């Protein structure tokens, strides 16, 4: 199958100017100044991208793909994600995590859901484990999960600095990081440890102690929710200045922002102003997670659901409200997570990469068209391909 995208302005994520792109099956075959389809050749689908930006498909590397939550008992278990929730938001690659409930949400179910999303047309990976230590893996061993299961690329999300965590020790988390690192090295995967950071004033001290007292490098960890409050955010700046990765969570509610959560678009601007290289920063949505609101005594007082649609919205706000250039802002959901997670075929508009592309309206930056692995999923803002039960 051939698809020719003409007259679009490409951000790869760096700006390449106006070029044509020929998609060959599921790969980017050619990127040239001008590509003219030959006469009397096979059928070629032609997409006119005039007045549109062409950017890599978005990567959301922290999503509760089979649902999450349950902090308000069984009835508050959140639903699993549907295909078009991702594609309509420009997301072509997901990484699934379990989260708080490592009992009724299992690794077998997580991998099965990831494979289901793959069958429906997008790319999906998974992290092994959940909040709790010791980890409940698929095979019984972290290294085996990463080495032997193609969809599993690392560990997470392991919780620290949170009243819902299992309060892991330095020794326990060091052993997890070591096992993940070895598994990644032997399989060519990232083997990274995705760490949920809660509201506690312990912040990132556990990770910093591991880095200071062992041979585990700081980039073995991928801490998320760094924007959840002002004091953690300041600690996150210092952690990033040491060379660590930081991830901001885009799903939120007005109450969280009123209570001090740092809006992602503003968080990106402040990190960049503090001298943190953009390559160390990512956004993830925490999609399908419960967004629980606890009082000071740890009692649940409210609950909503994270939305993957928030991922790109915060990138757009970073451009339109904070004045961050498109080629910089778009990195936090394209090339940065691709590099951190070693997704070598993702995150860039480049020949021989997977044909994951998003066409944005130049005037409004709204998502217009989405290709996932060369297949047209969204056209003119409407879902062309829907999930099995949608």
């Amino acid at each position: 199958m051939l698809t020719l995208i003409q007259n679009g302005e490409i951000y790869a994520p760096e700006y390449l100017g106006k070029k044509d792109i020929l998609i060959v099956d599921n790969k980017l075959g050619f990127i040239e100044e001008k590509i003219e389809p030959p006469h009397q050749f096979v059928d070629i689908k032609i997409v006119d991208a005039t007045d549109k930006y062409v950017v890599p498909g978005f990567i959301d590397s922290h999503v509760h793909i089979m649902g999450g939550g349950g902090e308000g008992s069984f009835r508050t278990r959140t639903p699993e994600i549907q295909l078009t929730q991702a594609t309509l938001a420009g997301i072509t690659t997901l990484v699934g995590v379990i989260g708080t409930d490592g009992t009724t949400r299992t690794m077998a179910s997580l991998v099965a859901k990831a494979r289901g999303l793959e069958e429906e047309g997008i790319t999906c990976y998974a992290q092994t484990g959940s909040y709790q230590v010791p980890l409940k893996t698929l095979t019984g061993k972290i290294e085996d999960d990463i080495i032997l299961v193609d969809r599993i690329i690392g560990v997470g999300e392991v919780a620290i600095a949170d009243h819902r965590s299992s309060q892991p020790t330095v020794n326990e988390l060091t052993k997890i990081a070591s096992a993940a690192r070895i598994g990644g090295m032997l399989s060519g995967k990232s083997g990274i440890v995705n760490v949920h950071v809660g509201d506690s004033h312990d912040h990132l001290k556990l990770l910093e102690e591991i880095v200071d007292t062992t041979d585990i490098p700081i980039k073995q960890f991928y801490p998320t929710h760094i924007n959840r409050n002002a004091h953690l955010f300041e600690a996150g700046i210092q952690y990033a200045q040491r060379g660590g990765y930081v991830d901001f969570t885009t799903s939120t509610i007005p109450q969280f922002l009123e209570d001090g959560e740092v809006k992602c678009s503003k968080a990106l601007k402040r990190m960049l102003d503090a001298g943190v290289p953009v390559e160390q920063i990512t956004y993830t949505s925490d999609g399908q997670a419960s967004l629980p609101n606890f009082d000071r005594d740890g009692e649940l007082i409210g609950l909503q659901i994270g939305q993957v649609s928030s991922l790109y919205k915060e990138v757009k706000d970073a451009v339109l409200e904070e004045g961050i250039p498109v080629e910089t802002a778009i990195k936090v959901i394209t090339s940065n997570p691709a590099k951190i997670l070693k997704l070598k075929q993702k995150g860039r508009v480049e020949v021989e990469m997977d044909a994951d592309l998003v066409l944005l309206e130049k005037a409004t930056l709204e998502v217009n068209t989405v290709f996932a692995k060369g297949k047209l999923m969204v056209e003119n803002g409407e879902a062309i391909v829907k999930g099995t039960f949608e």
Side-chain angles (χ1 to χ4, degrees), residues 56-339:
F58 305 152
I59 301 169
D60 194 343
S61 57
H62 188 107
V63 180
H64 298 268
I65 57 175
M66 61 173 177
E71 284 96 340
S73 191
F74 296 108
R75 63 188 173 85
T76 64
R77 287 160 49 92
T78 64
E80 66 181 40
I81 195 170
Q82 297 294 316
L83 177 70
T84 60
Q85 287 176 263
T87 55
L88 287 169
I91 297 166
T92 56
T93 300
L94 294 169
V95 179
V97 296
I98 290 181
T100 319
D101 181 4
T103 298
T104 70
R105 308 286 191 180
T106 68
M107 281 304 303
S109 294
L110 186 68
V111 172
K113 178 61 179 180
R115 292 194 185 281
L117 288 166
E118 289 265 353
E119 290 178 0
E120 290 179 333
I122 61 176
T123 302
C124 192
Y125 298 97
Q127 307 280 29
T128 190
S130 58
Y131 270 27
Q132 294 79 28
V133 174
L135 266 60
K136 295 180 181 178
T137 63
L138 185 64
T139 65
K141 199 174 177 185
I142 293 169
E143 300 97 311
D144 291 1
D145 274 18
I146 296 172
I147 294 169
L148 300 176
V149 183
D150 61 345
R151 293 298 93 196
I152 297 176
I153 59 174
V155 169
E157 59 176 313
V158 179
I160 65 171
D162 194 301
H163 65 94
R164 294 167 294 171
S165 84
S166 57
Q167 312 306 318
T169 65
V170 167
N171 186 56
E172 288 173 326
L173 197 52
T174 299
K175 288 184 180 300
I176 289 170
S178 177
R181 183 172 178 80
I182 292 168
M185 292 171 65
L186 294 177
S187 62
K189 299 176 183 177
S190 69
I192 207 157
V193 181
N194 181 216
V195 180
H196 163 107
V197 187
D199 282 308
S200 166
H201 283 266
D202 287 343
H203 301 142
L204 298 149
K205 292 175 184 175
L206 189 58
L207 305 187
E208 292 169 332
E209 186 172 348
I210 293 170
V211 172
D212 290 339
T213 60
T214 75
D215 294 325
I216 302 294
I218 195 168
K219 288 185 177 176
Q220 187 63 42
F221 299 105
Y222 191 18
T224 188
H225 313 318
I226 297 300
N227 60 313
R228 71 159 62 242
N229 58 52
H231 53 87
L232 175 58
F233 183 75
E234 293 301 322
I237 291 177
Q238 296 175 34
Y239 182 83
Q241 288 172 336
R242 293 187 59 179
Y245 298 130
V246 286
D247 180 68
F248 305 147
T249 302
T250 58
S251 289
T252 190
I253 59 175
Q255 185 62 50
F256 291 176
L257 294 170
E258 291 174 14
D259 290 343
E261 182 180 274
V262 184
K263 191 176 187 297
C264 286
S265 56
K266 296 182 183 298
L268 178 58
K269 179 70 162 56
R270 287 175 60 183
M271 278 272 180
L272 295 175
D273 287 347
V276 176
V278 69
E279 288 76 16
Q280 292 172 218
I281 306 169
T282 62
Y283 285 178
T284 57
S285 72
D286 207 12
Q288 300 308 113
S290 65
L291 301 180
N293 192 12
F294 296 98
D295 64 19
R296 292 183 178 181
D297 296 322
E299 295 295 326
L300 183 70
I301 57 176
L303 191 70
Q304 294 192 37
I305 301 176
Q307 302 293 330
V308 293
S309 59
S310 66
L311 185 76
Y312 175 63
K313 179 184 181 301
E314 286 298 323
V315 171
K316 186 172 65 172
D317 286 353
V319 175
L320 298 179
E321 297 178 8
E322 304 301 326
I324 297 173
V326 172
E327 59 266 40
T328 300
I330 205 72
K331 287 182 178 180
V332 303
I333 59 170
T334 58
S335 59
N336 291 358
K339 186 175 181 180

